[in-house]
Amino acid sequence: YEILRVSRDCSFDDLRRQYHRLLLEYHPDKIQSNEMNDRHRFEEIQSAYRILSNVELRLKYDQEQERKSLHQLAHTNIEWNP
């Protein structure tokens, strides 16, 4: 979601529009730079869209992110003084 600059609850139409906008922005033929960072960014955008545009992969991704978030929260040191 962060790579594509969309919210977790974005629609597939919004996801697709943003993907195409970013493709135009970072496409190697469109930018003047040949830097590896720019190429890497373009590949990240494609990979993120491949996952988030597939209903099953998106669900698995969301579940994994939720699991990681809960795991991290469980290991956070919180002092509680009643």
Side-chain angles (χ1 to χ4, degrees), residues 31-69:
I31 56 177
Q32 302 298 322
S33 171
N34 282 330
E35 290 186 30
M36 290 304 291
N37 287 342
D38 293 332
R39 278 186 198 273
H40 181 69
R41 178 76 174 143
F42 183 73
E43 291 168 2
E44 283 181 325
I45 292 166
Q46 290 177 310
S47 179
Y49 182 74
R50 206 172 295 119
I51 292 169
L52 297 180
S53 64
N54 179 300
V55 175
E56 290 179 26
L57 293 177
R58 185 174 182 170
L59 181 59
K60 286 180 184 178
Y61 177 81
D62 288 344
Q63 290 171 343
E64 180 64 18
Q65 293 303 307
E66 183 69 22
R67 186 190 67 73
K68 285 180 181 179
S69 177

Side-chain angles (χ1 to χ4, degrees), residues 2-3 10 16 19 26 40 46 61 63 66 73 77:
E2 186 176 316
I3 291 170
C10 71
R16 184 177 39 82
Y19 170 67
Y26 287 97
H40 181 69
Q46 290 177 310
Y61 177 81
Q63 290 171 343
E66 183 69 22
L73 183 61
N77 254 346

Side-chain angles (χ1 to χ4, degrees), residues 17-31 42 45:
R17 276 192 293 274
Q18 180 65 357
Y19 170 67
H20 287 288
R21 189 186 73 69
L22 290 172
L23 279 185
L24 289 175
E25 184 178 336
Y26 287 97
H27 194 283
D29 292 343
K30 299 283 184 183
I31 56 177
F42 183 73
I45 292 166

